[in-house]
Amino acid sequence: MFERVTSRFPRTSAPRTRAAVLAAGLGTSVVLGAGVAVAVDNTAASGAAGAVQAQAAAQSKVAEAQAKAVEAQAAKAQKAAEAQKAAAAKAAQAKKAAKAAAKKKAASWIDPVESYKLSASFAQNGGMWAHKHSGQDYAVPTGTPVVAAHGGTVVKAGGNGAGDGPAYGNAVVIKHGNKTYSQYAHLSSVNVKVGQVVKTGQKIALSGNTGNSSGPHLHFEIRSTPNYGSAVDPVKFLRGKGVTV
């Protein structure tokens, strides 16, 4: 007879083995599923963070562009304000200069006519005068504007030399300050009246050839009184006032 051999290792049943395998697989799936979920969560978080950063960068660019636009507008406004200020200062300076020029002109003396040629001079001898020549002649065409050599008040105006005699023809006498008078004679027409206040350079008459005259010209005198006989050298007087004669 043979002896029965018995295995020392216990025999595991098939159902039990399958259960163990299923359990192991389930555990693995659970572990893998958890890992995938974690990975998905990390990716989503990373994507969200990137989106936030991109949005922040875009907003930063927009804000920077807006800041530059505001800065450019402010610079433009400042430039315009500076230009306006400079223009105002220039206008004020021009106004001041014009006022100073007008004041200077009002205080100065000028030639009684423009574009002239000097002819008979003061104290010159000649058969045209009973005595020496009492003024300075400016040779100009008839109708040349005659202006006040200096501001003052008209004290004589009209024919017969404005009271100084027919030799002067039509004439005007203007009173200035410091006992100074200017006389304009041989005029073709007179444009002012006695008592009228005139400014330096204001037209008072037109030149002509009236009275004791050998041709169209202006006879100009500087006097110490309004009357004939008190004349001084008008060229010397004007040059002393800075006038180029």
Side-chain angles (χ1 to χ4, degrees):
M1 289 180 71
F2 296 95
E3 294 181 3
R4 180 182 291 182
V5 180
T6 304
S7 175
R8 295 180 181 178
F9 299 97
R11 183 180 294 179
T12 305
S13 65
R16 189 174 181 182
T17 301
R18 285 196 297 269
V21 171
L22 289 173
L26 181 60
T28 302
S29 298
V30 171
V31 173
L32 290 174
V36 171
V38 171
V40 170
D41 289 342
N42 289 338
T43 301
S46 178
V52 170
Q53 290 178 352
Q55 186 178 6
Q59 291 176 344
S60 177
K61 287 183 179 180
V62 171
E64 185 177 353
Q66 290 177 343
K68 286 183 178 180
V70 171
E71 184 178 354
Q73 188 175 4
K76 186 177 181 180
Q78 183 177 2
K79 188 175 181 181
E82 289 177 355
Q84 187 177 6
K85 185 177 180 181
K90 188 176 181 180
Q93 187 176 6
K95 185 177 180 180
K96 184 178 180 180
K99 187 175 181 180
K103 185 177 180 180
K104 182 178 180 181
K105 184 178 180 180
S108 66
W109 287 75
I110 62 173
D111 280 316
V113 289
E114 294 183 352
S115 302
Y116 57 83
K117 181 179 180 181
L118 296 179
S119 50
S121 59
F122 178 73
Q124 181 177 325
N125 293 316
M128 295 289 294
W129 314 290
H131 303 287
K132 291 183 178 182
H133 194 225
S134 57
Q136 174 64 53
D137 286 349
Y138 291 76
V140 291
T142 297
T144 299
V146 177
V147 301
H150 191 68
T153 304
V154 178
V155 293
K156 291 184 179 182
N160 193 37
D164 289 325
Y168 284 108
N170 298 322
V172 173
V173 177
I174 300 175
K175 179 183 179 181
H176 311 289
N178 299 323
K179 295 182 179 180
T180 302
Y181 298 79
S182 59
Q183 189 245 27
Y184 313 77
H186 304 310
L187 305 172
S188 61
S189 65
V190 175
N191 302 120
V192 291
K193 298 179 180 181
V194 173
Q196 183 176 341
V197 176
V198 295
K199 298 179 181 179
T200 302
Q202 180 177 334
K203 188 176 80 169
I204 59 172
L206 296 177
S207 66
N209 192 30
T210 59
N212 186 15
S213 174
S214 60
H217 71 283
L218 170 70
H219 176 87
F220 178 71
E221 292 186 15
I222 293 294
R223 299 173 173 178
S224 58
T225 74
N227 304 317
Y228 170 77
S230 61
V232 298
D233 187 345
V235 171
K236 184 177 180 180
F237 177 88
L238 290 177
R239 286 175 178 169
K241 299 295 183 179
V243 180
T244 301
V245 182

